[in-house]
């Protein structure tokens, strides 16, 4: 999936203003990089279009431990949107990631996130 298709897919899936899709996408990936181990963030980045890879540089080798509410708050703050808009953007982006990367890679990403993320994107537990 190329960069424009990735953003277009999120735009179709998320009830958010179109001009907020790119900032939400970048904020979600930056926050995901904090939540994943450096190795997993690197593996995920390897399957994404180049403009999305730079957001997935993990600041530390170890994953930070925080739940969905903190994830939403960080994305909301970074993207300059309400928590409700951030939540919808995160849901759309994770579902788009599921389509954009291999099934195994998506499973690896989700395995590092709390169960509440699976509930957000509708992944069977």
């Amino acid at each position: 999936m190329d960069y424009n298709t990735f953003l277009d897919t999120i735009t179709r899936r998320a009830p958010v203003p179109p001009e907020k899709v790119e900032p939400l996408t970048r904020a979600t990936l930056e926050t995901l990089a904090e939540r994943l181990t450096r190795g997993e963030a690197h593996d995920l980045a390897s399957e994404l279009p180049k403009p999305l890879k730079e957001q997935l540089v993990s600041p530390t080798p170890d994953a930070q431990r925080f739940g969905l509410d903190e994830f939403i708050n960080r994305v909301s703050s970074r993207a300059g949107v309400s928590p409700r808009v951030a939540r919808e953007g995160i849901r759309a982006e994770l579902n788009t990631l599921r389509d954009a990367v291999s099934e195994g890679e998506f499973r690896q990403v989700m395995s590092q996130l709390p169960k509440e993320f699976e509930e957000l994107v509708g992944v069977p537990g």
Side-chain angles (χ1 to χ4, degrees), residues 51-124:
L52 299 174
K53 292 177 190 283
E54 50 201 55
Q55 273 68 52
L56 280 166
V57 176
S58 179
T60 61
D62 298 320
Q64 294 180 26
R65 299 288 171 203
F66 53 86
L68 182 59
D69 288 341
E70 177 63 17
F71 195 100
I72 290 168
N73 288 337
R74 290 182 188 200
V75 170
S76 171
S77 176
R78 286 182 171 135
V81 298
S82 71
R84 184 195 62 74
V85 169
R87 182 183 183 87
E88 291 306 316
I90 293 163
R91 178 194 323 270
E93 184 154 351
L94 289 175
N95 278 303
T96 302
L97 279 174
R98 181 174 27 201
D99 294 343
V101 303
S102 68
E103 182 181 337
E105 181 53 37
F106 186 74
R107 268 199 314 262
Q108 286 295 319
V109 168
M110 294 305 288
S111 75
Q112 290 194 14
L113 301 173
K115 271 261 193 255
E116 56 196 345
F117 283 81
E118 291 178 3
E119 295 163 8
L120 177 68
V121 296
V123 175

Side-chain angles (χ1 to χ4, degrees), residues 34-50:
E34 294 171 344
R35 188 61 184 78
L36 300 175
T37 62
R38 182 177 289 158
E40 189 53 49
H42 180 269
D43 290 349
L44 178 59
S46 74
E47 294 193 27
L48 292 175
K50 188 171 184 178

Side-chain angles (χ1 to χ4, degrees), residues 11-37:
T11 301
R12 284 194 312 275
R13 288 179 168 164
V16 301
E19 69 276 6
K20 291 296 185 181
V21 170
E22 194 165 11
L24 269 167
T25 298
R26 292 182 182 283
T28 300
L29 290 175
E30 284 176 31
T31 307
L32 195 56
E34 294 171 344
R35 188 61 184 78
L36 300 175
T37 62

